[in-house]
Amino acid sequence: MKNDMPDLKPASPFYRDHVKRIIDLVIAIPVLIVAVIPMAITSIAIKLDSPGPILFKQDRLGKGRKVFKMLKFRSMCVGAEGTGSGVYSGKGDSRVTRVGRIIRATSLDELPQLINVIRGDMSLLGPRPPLTYHPWPIEEYTEEQLHMFDVRPGFSGWAQINGRKDVEWHHRIELNVWYVRHVRFLLDVKIFFLTIFKVLRNEDNENVGETLKK
């Protein structure tokens, strides 16, 4: 058994389907209230730094393969996604704004997803929601890979603490499916604290190469 997919007991359906949602709301609502001031400061900085909206809204695939609008603070210039420079940005990407570099390094750009959590689009912890067209269209996922959509996507998940942005997509989805099948409270606690550690150290937070093997 691989170190990043240890042999654990199967997931607790009651925890996965009911308790996680309660925990999400108990944590996300007060955190959003506390984060109002830093989010307001970030919003002003974004507006002063470059023209365009404060929030970036992007179609992502969620639980049950449902498409939802994932929210982020805008960290790139307007229209950057369609410039032909790639789906994801790497180190030194000129499309990233000055404020964008700061909020990406500190993961502040992810804070608006607390709204997604409260809405029920996302969970605090779970597989990161993929784009509707990347790494491949939903029609091209295998039956095994589709199990990653059995739970709400999250801010961070098992794949993120096991490599984050430099994990090849086939293995990333394999890690996500493993999480879905083994999710439990203590596993989420482990992911939570390891995520904080990675964010504080800014580990694996830049795309360093091609992560999609054909």
Side-chain angles (χ1 to χ4, degrees):
M1 184 65 67
K2 296 178 182 178
N3 292 333
D4 54 10
M5 291 189 290
D7 187 13
L8 297 182
K9 292 181 180 179
S12 166
F14 182 74
Y15 172 75
R16 182 188 64 196
D17 300 333
H18 303 288
V19 178
K20 270 180 70 71
R21 180 60 182 154
I22 295 173
I23 294 174
D24 285 341
L25 293 175
V26 168
I27 295 177
I29 293 174
V31 169
L32 182 60
I33 294 173
V34 172
V36 164
I37 293 179
M39 289 177 72
I41 294 173
T42 301
S43 299
I44 293 171
I46 291 171
K47 203 65 180 175
L48 292 175
D49 183 49
S50 63
I54 293 170
L55 293 179
F56 175 64
K57 302 177 183 180
Q58 190 176 53
D59 285 345
R60 298 285 183 123
L61 291 170
K63 183 178 180 181
R65 311 172 212 174
K66 180 182 177 182
V67 177
F68 72 97
K69 294 286 185 183
M70 191 180 79
L71 305 177
K72 275 188 168 189
F73 279 125
R74 181 175 58 83
S75 60
M76 303 176 78
C77 60
V78 174
E81 192 176 12
T83 60
S85 300
V87 175
Y88 300 109
S89 62
K91 187 174 182 179
D93 194 324
S94 61
R95 299 174 298 173
V96 180
T97 65
R98 290 171 297 179
V99 170
R101 283 192 286 272
I102 297 172
I103 62 177
R104 282 185 171 206
T106 55
S107 292
L108 285 172
D109 59 325
E110 310 283 356
L111 280 178
Q113 286 160 51
L114 287 167
I115 298 172
N116 286 124
V117 172
I118 294 171
R119 286 177 179 173
D121 301 323
M122 294 178 63
S123 176
L124 293 173
L125 299 173
R128 282 299 292 170
L131 295 162
T132 56
Y133 57 88
H134 185 87
W136 41 76
I138 191 65
E139 296 80 15
E140 296 181 18
Y141 283 76
T142 67
E143 287 298 319
E144 174 73 4
Q145 291 172 337
L146 287 172
H147 284 295
M148 71 176 278
F149 301 109
D150 289 347
V151 298
R152 290 183 178 88
F155 275 81
S156 180
W158 188 245
Q160 279 61 51
I161 66 168
N162 283 285
R164 207 170 178 185
K165 292 186 176 181
D166 62 354
V167 179
E168 196 277 327
W169 265 100
H170 289 85
H171 186 50
R172 193 180 306 191
I173 295 175
E174 190 178 15
L175 292 171
N176 288 335
V177 173
W178 179 91
Y179 170 81
V180 171
R181 288 178 170 161
H182 298 88
V183 59
R184 60 193 61 252
F185 178 71
L186 290 180
L187 180 60
D188 275 351
V189 170
K190 179 178 182 178
I191 294 172
F192 176 78
F193 283 107
L194 286 176
T195 297
I196 292 176
F197 178 75
K198 279 185 171 286
V199 169
L200 291 177
R201 295 190 60 179
N202 195 29
E203 286 187 1
D204 308 317
N205 197 26
E206 289 182 331
N207 295 290
V208 295
E210 181 60 58
T211 57
L212 178 56
K213 294 179 181 178
K214 298 296 185 179

